[in-house]
Amino acid sequence: MEEAMQRAARALDAVESKSVFREDSGTANLIEGLKRTLTTKGRKPYTFAISCQTPSAHTLTLTLRRGDTTSEWDVACGDREADQFDIPGGTPFTARVTPVSGQVEGIISWRLDTVGAEDVQDCADDITGCES
């Protein structure tokens, strides 16, 4: 389990921008899943990064929800870089990963950071999405 936590931390560090300021972070077992409401105050941009580590290939579904708007994303376990989602400041949002049933062992690690506007990727709001 310790090795999995180290790999997850490296995956999160791999996507960390220079302007980052840590707001919140955590780790959960796959069997427990993740359901966390996160606060995003003001107008500054945030980045939610998530990594999953398992002994074998596995994909999770991350659900991001703010108000009535929901988006779903696949997160592949074992990637060297965490999946990263841009979230604008404002009302709280919920990040959820359904608990994994069966004998799948592993961990989910996540971070919520504020970032500089220059570090926001293609879409400034990965919950509502952006039209091309």
Side-chain angles (χ1 to χ4, degrees), residues 69 71 73 86-88 120-132:
T69 305
S71 62
W73 303 88
D86 292 316
I87 312 289
V120 173
Q121 302 295 317
D122 305 318
C123 181
D125 189 344
D126 283 321
I127 297 175
T128 61
C130 298
E131 293 181 30
S132 302

Side-chain angles (χ1 to χ4, degrees), residues 53-132:
Q53 299 297 321
T54 57
S56 59
H58 197 79
T59 301
L60 305 176
T61 300
L62 168 67
T63 303
L64 298 174
R65 180 181 182 97
R66 179 180 263 164
D68 293 332
T69 305
T70 301
S71 62
E72 289 189 348
W73 303 88
D74 287 337
V75 175
C77 295
D79 285 352
R80 291 183 182 261
E81 290 188 4
D83 290 73
Q84 190 171 333
F85 304 92
D86 292 316
I87 312 289
T91 59
F93 75 96
T94 302
R96 183 172 187 266
V97 173
T98 303
V100 175
S101 60
Q103 298 298 320
V104 178
E105 291 186 22
I107 62 164
I108 303 164
S109 291
W110 58 270
R111 289 182 183 164
L112 179 68
D113 301 321
T114 54
V115 294
E118 69 278 5
D119 290 317
V120 173
Q121 302 295 317
D122 305 318
C123 181
D125 189 344
D126 283 321
I127 297 175
T128 61
C130 298
E131 293 181 30
S132 302

